[in-house]
Amino acid sequence: MSVKAYRGALFHLTEDPALVGAEASHQYEVDGLLIVEDGHVQKAGAYADLAPTLPADAEVTDHTGGLIVPGFVDTHIHYPQLDMIASYGEKLLDWLNRYTFPEEAKFADPAHAAECAEFFLDELMRNGTTTALVYGTVHKGATDALFAAAHKRDMRIAAGKALMDRNVPDAVRDTAESGDADSRALIEAWHGKGRLTYAVTPRFAPACSDDQLTRAGKILEEYPDVLMHTHLSENADEIAWVKELYPDADGYLDVYARFGLLTDRSVFAHCIHLDGPEYQRMAEADAAIAFCPTSNLFLGSGLFSLKEAEKYGVKVGLGTDVGAGTSFSILETMDEAYKVCHLKGHKLDAFKAFYLATLGGARALNMGEHVGNFEPGKEADFLVLDLAPTPLLARRLKTCKNIEETLFVLAMLGDDRTIAHTYIMGEQAYSKG
Ligand code: GUN
Ligand code: ZN
């Protein structure tokens, strides 16, 4: 048994502040201690209370001056879009055809995929993201490469090969049969191995035949803890196209539902243009939304309504959606989320922002039992935030009167420089400088 302990200010969410109110939603210790045993949280609390309980040989790391928080969860990101992030001028469908599909075609080369996978996971670590739901490309080998790299690092990663058998260039097209066989082979090879989870990943309805979606639904039915990951209601032209393809469907969400893809293990990115009955249906199915503000602004897709999702009780997490999103940083994503909420006429407070980034995201991925906060028994993925990463942040944070204000300022001004250390299962995986 190895016991390690980490001293510093400590903050985590224990429940959704929208449900229980700000006070009951979190634990904050000015001088806290996180005790980790064999990679799992044993206890989190005040240093004065917990230090006397430590075994004599416990190794204590002093992060006094920093803020210990759970690792961030990114509920929607594309690993093969590294090299075309920040591509100019297009909205979704032209952006896909002009920049994205040609870039993803390069992942037929396993060496390229392996190199990108390592860079991608390094970048997650540098930004404090310890869990992510990740799109691969259409190529089976590219998802193999990501899983292999994540497994080596013992990261909690969910991913899938993209299913796309129509309306896309030949170089990134599979068939209903090959997509089905490749998904099943990847599940057998990786799902449940260490901390890895498979996500059946239809690109989006316009890129998948009925046969392909039917098979995706069957896989979900056969494997009861595999996730489903796709895009939904992101862009006006996309929605019009889906309507053309499925004139009989009762909206875009209904297309997925018809094929058995609306489940409590389903994560839908964007959901900007859902109507009331669609939110209601999402809530009844206990499906989740990935709120991707930097991407939604970058592609001019629109403004997601967090308030509507809250009203209907739909699970929500934050997604960077790199490469349509413009940052790997979940702190920067909180900043943009705040502004989007402002434009939608409501406020995203700091506790809710950190909830979405941690426990809310974990719940959206059905991983709330494993990660998201410092409940005893959970996997010890955590960060130490630097409270003086830039001259401006050092100066502004000194004026903060309470933890809520500190968290808000971190969310508005923080980025990768704010991440001092990233720990995976109680082991340091990244340290700034
Ligand atoms: N819809 C289908 N594919 C994609 C993608 O790669 N990015 C985004 N933002 N939307 C999509
Ligand atoms: Zn996406």
Side-chain angles (χ1 to χ4, degrees):
M1 289 291 179
S2 93
V3 175
K4 293 179 180 175
Y6 303 88
R7 183 180 187 178
L10 180 148
F11 174 85
H12 67 130
L13 277 304
T14 51
E15 195 33 276
D16 183 349
L19 292 180
V20 300
E23 277 320 297
S25 72
H26 67 274
Q27 180 183 15
Y28 172 59
E29 306 290 349
V30 179
D31 182 12
L33 193 70
L34 178 66
I35 306 179
V36 174
E37 187 171 359
D38 293 330
H40 292 76
V41 174
Q42 191 201 69
K43 233 172 197 169
Y47 178 81
D49 296 338
L50 297 185
T53 71
L54 285 174
D57 61 349
E59 189 187 306
V60 181
T61 305
D62 195 357
H63 287 306
T64 300
L67 177 63
I68 299 171
V69 298
F72 296 142
V73 178
D74 188 337
T75 62
H76 180 68
I77 185 165
H78 297 253
Y79 109 81
Q81 295 178 11
L82 277 178
D83 291 335
M84 43 68 71
I85 187 173
S87 288
Y88 176 75
E90 306 294 357
K91 290 197 169 194
L92 177 64
L93 299 178
D94 293 330
W95 174 86
L96 286 170
N97 285 314
R98 180 164 174 195
Y99 301 116
T100 312
F101 294 146
E103 188 61 39
E104 293 193 6
K106 298 177 187 165
F107 285 71
D109 173 7
H112 177 67
E115 188 275 325
C116 288
E118 296 293 347
F119 184 96
F120 174 80
L121 296 177
D122 284 345
E123 199 63 11
L124 291 186
M125 292 291 88
R126 276 187 354 91
N127 283 279
T129 298
T130 52
T131 287
L133 174 56
V134 187
Y135 255 76
T137 61
V138 71
H139 316 94
K140 173 180 174 289
T143 299
D144 272 317
L146 180 70
F147 276 135
H151 187 57
K152 226 171 37 194
R153 299 169 189 236
D154 204 15
M155 288 178 70
R156 183 166 276 284
I157 292 290
K161 149 206 145 67
L163 298 166
M164 38 207 288
D165 70 344
R166 65 167 174 172
N167 296 323
V168 295
D170 290 348
V172 289
R173 192 185 311 163
D174 59 4
T175 65
E177 293 80 9
S178 74
D180 187 22
D182 286 350
S183 301
R184 288 171 184 276
L186 285 162
I187 291 170
E188 294 301 330
W190 298 109
H191 181 65
K193 188 167 182 177
R195 304 176 77 203
L196 305 177
T197 298
Y198 194 78
V200 175
T201 308
R203 180 95 206 193
F204 65 160
C208 304
S209 68
D210 286 8
D211 187 11
Q212 184 156 66
L213 294 177
T214 302
R215 290 165 182 267
K218 286 223 174 78
I219 296 177
L220 269 192
E221 214 177 274
E222 283 174 43
Y223 293 93
D225 52 359
V226 157
L227 299 178
M228 201 289 298
H229 184 199
T230 194
H231 297 94
L232 172 63
S233 265
E234 176 178 5
N235 163 287
D237 294 338
E238 170 211 19
I239 294 166
W241 192 13
V242 172
K243 205 167 186 165
E244 240 172 68
L245 292 168
Y246 295 97
D248 301 334
D250 191 12
Y252 194 164
L253 178 62
D254 185 51
V255 174
Y256 292 125
R258 288 173 171 211
F259 294 101
L261 300 173
L262 174 60
T263 73
D264 59 355
R265 294 171 279 139
S266 302
V267 182
F268 295 96
H270 308 293
C271 298
I272 299 167
H273 309 284
L274 296 187
D275 61 20
E278 286 181 308
Y279 275 113
Q280 181 66 35
R281 210 165 166 192
M282 292 271 286
E284 280 162 11
D286 199 24
I289 294 173
F291 174 17
C292 306
T294 75
S295 164
N296 297 344
L297 294 170
F298 180 74
L299 290 182
S301 301
L303 305 175
F304 170 70
S305 176
L306 181 62
K307 198 180 193 170
E308 283 294 286
E310 253 177 22
K311 185 174 111 187
Y312 286 95
V314 181
K315 295 182 289 194
V316 179
L318 292 177
T320 61
D321 193 25
V322 162
T326 47
S327 171
F328 270 79
S329 170
I330 289 288
L331 289 169
E332 289 195 302
T333 305
M334 290 185 206
D335 174 19
E336 299 299 291
Y338 173 81
K339 294 167 187 168
V340 167
C341 289
H342 227 339
L343 286 168
K344 294 295 276 185
H346 58 103
K347 294 177 192 172
L348 173 60
D349 67 68
F351 294 136
K352 180 75 186 203
F354 272 80
Y355 172 78
L356 294 176
T358 57
L359 185 59
R363 287 175 169 173
L365 305 188
N366 280 5
M367 295 177 184
E369 300 293 307
H370 303 293
V371 289
N373 65 10
F374 297 143
E375 249 172 63
K378 284 199 182 174
E379 296 157 2
D381 290 350
F382 62 95
L383 315 175
V384 181
L385 302 185
D386 182 346
L387 299 181
T390 66
L392 179 63
L393 259 169
R395 185 181 173 108
R396 176 65 177 93
L397 286 171
K398 272 194 207 134
T399 71
C400 290
K401 291 175 282 303
N402 53 46
I403 185 63
E404 183 169 13
E405 192 178 354
T406 297
L407 293 171
F408 184 71
V409 171
L410 285 169
M412 295 307 105
L413 303 180
D415 54 28
D416 54 338
R417 294 168 293 182
T418 311
I419 311 302
H421 308 279
T422 301
Y423 285 84
I424 298 287
M425 296 294 282
E427 301 291 332
Q428 187 168 282
Y430 164 76
S431 189
K432 187 170 57 155

